[in-house]
Amino acid sequence: MSVVTSGRYTFPNYNLVFFIFLQLGLHSVEGVWPLPQSITSSPERYPLNPQAFYFTYGSQSAAQEGCSVLDEAFKRYFSLIFPDYSSGYGFLRFSVDKPFTVQVSVGRNDCDSYPDEDSSEQYTLSVSAGQAYLKAETVWGALRGLETFSQLVYQEDFGSYYVNKTEIEDFPRFQFRGILLDTSRHYLPVQAILKTLDAMAFSKFNVFHWHIVDDPSFPYQSRTFPDLSAKGAFHPMTHIYTQLDVRRVISYARMRGIRVLPEFDSPGHTQSWGKGQSDLLTPCYSGSTPSGTFGPVNPILPSTYKFMATLFKEVSSVFPDSYIHLGGDEVNFSCWKSNPDVRAFMLKMGFGADFTKLEAYYMENIVNLTAALNRTSIVWQDVFDYHERRTSLSVVEVWREGCYLCEVRRVVKAGLRVILASPWYLDQPGPTHNWARYYTVWPLAFKGTEEQKKLVIGGEVCMWGEYVDATNLTPRLWPRASAAAERLWSDEKQTSDVDKAFPRLKDFRCELLRYFSFSDNAHGIPITHHRTLFYEVCLTYTDASVSLRLQAGYPGRASLCRTLQTRVPRCLIITDHVTFLSI
């Protein structure tokens, strides 16, 4: 292959690669992901010149210049729409075209607020010659429309950009579309979280469920109880989330229309808490003597609830969202059973030997504490299953395997709201190309009234951290999480065919590859930005596919090799970040 050599660095001849690229045929957008509720497009297309492309506010828009959310979004999406222009690749040529303007109008000025459970994400988008009109009730709907517009733009010829004539009316099917990250079992650097928030925005997810603490570590740095992280984190300086880190994540998410839902799971999953807070956990007994080990939170002490009230008061002041996740799952009763003080408390309260009643007693107290802070609590389904007085509960997250829709039906019959997570545990082992199992999920396929089905407020993709850290998080999550994103956003009847969805998902996957550098120890090769990185690229064209062999390495190190079979030609973009992502 022809190369250009400069000093000790060797780079591919991009003109040769680009020439081969052109011989493979033209490209048009396969479709938007997730699929809008209504979309009509035509072959009529319009050229876009980044030097004559503008975002503007409509004259009647409630938000105008100075709206932080949209001002930042305009800058962000300009770079996403024109990545080659913003990176300054010299071999691209732009013709002199007429200006193209994207005019954005919103009905309400909520630029300084946070997205919440009632925020409208509805928008309409009309693309015609020289202009696109984006209308939304809120800035959050405008963000979703900007994402859709960015996916409509494509490149061909000698790097020219185009968009087709299009009409879209769109809104989400479910209001809650979340992704859970577990930062306790493996600490995730803030940058990995921010990267995930970007990918969430591309798929129109709107809730980041931050499972911030658990048994292995307590990385949240509390102002009120600093020993929790000082003694409970993997490292008290490098593996914590400071108050500044948390504010950064919340602000970054807000700019992308994403809520941040914190989870402080108790009374189980709290071993790390006990390291920094004495007398919080239950002492376990071996016979009549303490064993020196500890179990769940001690539910019989007044000091427990005083501590929890103070902690959640701080949490509610740090996290602005009106929801808070209280956990309540997988409580091991063996330590409670062994403790004579706990058994005596059980008799006093009339619980007998039913420790589910003790757990329900504890959770009811915690729910009441958070309700006093004007927060809506979410609990795992275990709390619902064990709770007799369910009127104190608000939202139940269904996570267990088996007939999960049976559980959904039981919860909505009790008049409670539901978040469905069972079918979307992406950390579970399995082939990396099994996206269809997460796509063919029907959240409302249970017997119930329309009013009961309205109580299913959405779903959530869960990425637990036993086998996931920053090195493999992104390729484990994407684009399989995008399959769940479409199920939660789009009309079910229009998106029930896996074969029809696949071309759009492949196209969307390539968009993700353009925006990010992924790595995965198990299913890809880690290649990061490096001044001394060299490439050797070989292309073989057969029918409608390209076999691309990439050899990359660093001087003095063993080279890394990978062969990729890909559809023509969207994925075939040569940059200094090369990644592999499995569907």
Side-chain angles (χ1 to χ4, degrees):
M1 177 178 177
S2 175
V3 297
V4 178
T5 303
S6 175
R8 61 192 179 97
Y9 305 127
T10 303
F11 301 91
N13 185 330
Y14 286 108
N15 289 326
L16 176 60
V17 174
F18 195 59
F19 174 78
I20 297 173
F21 177 87
L22 290 175
Q23 303 308 305
L24 302 181
L26 300 177
H27 174 76
S28 61
V29 174
E30 293 287 354
V32 176
W33 193 280
L35 187 70
Q37 301 292 334
S38 172
I39 179 170
T40 304
S41 60
S42 77
E44 183 179 345
R45 67 180 189 175
Y46 316 112
L48 303 181
N49 181 348
Q51 296 173 321
F53 181 92
Y54 308 97
F55 289 105
T56 66
Y57 292 91
S59 59
Q60 301 301 313
S61 174
Q64 294 291 331
E65 187 175 356
C67 174
S68 59
V69 173
L70 292 181
D71 286 352
E72 288 299 316
F74 293 164
K75 297 175 186 177
R76 186 168 67 250
Y77 276 103
F78 183 90
S79 298
L80 293 173
I81 292 169
F82 304 112
D84 298 321
Y85 179 77
S86 59
S87 62
Y89 285 144
F91 66 90
L92 298 176
R93 297 291 182 267
F94 300 107
S95 59
V96 178
D97 298 307
K98 295 180 180 179
F100 192 98
T101 301
V102 178
Q103 185 181 105
V104 178
S105 295
V106 297
R108 191 165 70 236
N109 185 353
D110 40 12
C111 300
D112 297 324
S113 65
Y114 290 87
D116 59 41
E117 68 273 18
D118 297 320
S119 295
S120 170
E121 296 172 279
Q122 179 273 339
Y123 69 91
T124 61
L125 178 63
S126 176
V127 182
S128 56
Q131 59 193 2
Y133 292 104
L134 171 59
K135 295 182 179 180
E137 181 183 343
T138 67
V139 294
W140 320 119
L143 289 178
R144 305 302 174 235
L146 289 171
E147 172 57 37
T148 294
F149 179 83
S150 74
Q151 293 186 31
L152 293 175
V153 177
Y154 57 96
Q155 236 182 324
E156 53 183 44
D157 296 332
F158 291 92
S160 298
Y161 294 94
Y162 290 92
V163 65
N164 285 52
K165 181 178 176 64
T166 307
E167 299 288 335
I168 290 176
E169 293 184 7
D170 201 13
F171 55 88
R173 182 187 181 199
F174 292 104
Q175 196 65 22
F176 188 107
R177 306 178 308 283
I179 284 187
L180 177 150
L181 292 186
D182 171 8
T183 60
S184 173
R185 291 173 175 86
H186 280 98
Y187 176 83
L188 295 176
V190 171
Q191 196 58 42
I193 296 174
L194 301 184
K195 186 186 207 180
T196 301
L197 290 171
D198 276 324
M200 288 174 63
F202 298 152
S203 293
K204 297 186 173 72
F205 282 104
N206 69 342
V207 179
F208 167 41
H209 177 172
W210 196 348
H211 189 87
I212 194 168
V213 298
D214 206 297
D215 279 329
S217 73
F218 196 106
Y220 171 74
Q221 189 178 58
S222 168
R223 294 191 306 260
T224 315
F225 303 103
D227 279 352
L228 288 172
S229 61
K231 298 179 179 180
F234 288 132
H235 190 283
M237 298 297 291
T238 61
H239 284 58
I240 61 171
Y241 301 107
T242 66
Q243 297 286 307
L244 182 60
D245 291 333
V246 173
R247 287 197 297 269
R248 183 183 177 194
V249 168
I250 293 171
S251 175
Y252 199 89
R254 184 182 84 89
M255 289 297 185
R256 286 149 184 80
I258 297 172
R259 301 160 54 193
V260 179
L261 167 67
E263 179 182 356
F264 287 79
D265 190 357
S266 71
H269 294 280
T270 50
Q271 288 298 297
S272 65
W273 301 41
K275 298 176 182 179
Q277 185 66 22
S278 60
D279 299 325
L280 178 64
L281 303 185
T282 306
C284 304
Y285 277 69
S286 178
S288 59
T289 59
S291 66
T293 60
F294 296 89
V297 167
N298 194 332
I300 71 173
L301 299 179
S303 59
T304 292
Y305 301 103
K306 182 179 179 180
F307 164 80
M308 288 294 184
T310 306
L311 177 64
F312 282 116
K313 183 178 180 180
E314 176 189 321
V315 169
S316 64
S317 70
V318 172
F319 292 88
D321 200 80
S322 63
Y323 280 32
I324 188 168
H325 206 302
L326 301 179
D329 63 316
E330 298 181 313
V331 180
N332 188 328
F333 296 146
S334 59
C335 186
W336 283 352
K337 291 178 180 179
S338 75
N339 187 294
D341 296 328
V342 172
R343 293 199 304 268
F345 181 84
M346 294 272 289
L347 292 175
K348 177 183 175 181
M349 297 297 293
F351 296 159
D354 187 352
F355 284 86
T356 65
K357 292 182 178 179
L358 180 59
E359 181 189 0
Y361 168 83
Y362 170 83
M363 289 303 301
E364 187 164 343
N365 275 281
I366 301 302
V367 168
N368 290 338
L369 288 175
T370 54
L373 296 168
N374 199 28
R375 291 294 184 268
T376 300
S377 60
I378 303 175
V379 296
W380 296 109
Q381 73 178 75
D382 312 46
V383 178
F384 171 83
D385 292 339
Y386 296 148
H387 221 79
E388 293 180 356
R389 297 172 58 183
R390 293 168 175 170
T391 53
S392 63
L393 303 180
S394 299
V395 184
V396 176
E397 184 161 6
V398 174
W399 69 276
R400 291 189 180 275
E401 294 181 315
C403 185
Y404 54 80
L405 288 182
C406 300
E407 180 76 0
V408 170
R409 186 185 181 197
R410 285 192 289 269
V411 176
V412 298
K413 284 184 70 176
L416 303 178
R417 286 168 285 174
V418 173
I419 297 166
L420 179 61
S422 300
W424 293 309
Y425 268 47
L426 266 61
D427 61 296
Q428 296 297 310
T432 58
H433 54 278
N434 59 354
W435 70 276
R437 66 182 286 191
Y438 307 113
Y439 192 75
T440 52
V441 174
W442 322 115
L444 302 184
F446 61 90
K447 293 182 179 179
T449 66
E450 287 303 311
E451 289 302 312
Q452 288 173 343
K453 293 188 177 185
K454 288 179 182 178
L455 292 173
V456 180
I457 61 174
E460 181 169 85
V461 169
C462 295
M463 183 56 71
W464 297 100
E466 284 89 347
Y467 308 106
V468 177
D469 60 16
T471 66
N472 63 357
L473 167 66
T474 303
R476 290 283 177 91
L477 195 53
W478 309 105
R480 293 184 300 160
S482 300
E486 180 151 292
R487 180 57 54 238
L488 294 170
W489 178 281
S490 305
D491 179 79
E492 189 173 286
K493 293 181 180 178
Q494 296 183 55
T495 57
S496 59
D497 192 315
V498 171
D499 293 333
K500 289 182 179 179
F502 187 56
R504 287 189 298 108
L505 183 58
K506 285 201 298 183
D507 205 57
F508 182 66
R509 168 186 174 273
C510 293
E511 292 293 334
L512 290 175
L513 285 170
R514 290 177 62 196
Y515 301 145
F516 295 109
S517 174
F518 298 89
S519 64
D520 186 351
N521 290 340
H523 304 295
I525 63 173
I527 302 177
T528 57
H529 181 72
H530 197 287
R531 292 287 295 176
T532 59
L533 181 65
F534 65 88
Y535 303 100
E536 179 184 347
V537 182
C538 299
L539 302 171
T540 305
Y541 173 62
T542 56
D543 298 328
S545 66
V546 170
S547 177
L548 181 151
R549 179 173 174 78
L550 168 71
Q551 179 168 311
Y554 302 100
R557 300 186 189 182
S559 65
L560 303 166
C561 300
R562 180 76 169 185
T563 300
L564 174 68
Q565 191 76 18
T566 182
R567 186 178 62 83
V568 179
R570 196 67 175 272
C571 295
L572 190 56
I573 296 176
I574 309 300
T575 73
D576 61 355
H577 285 73
V578 182
T579 62
F580 299 98
L581 185 63
S582 299
I583 294 178

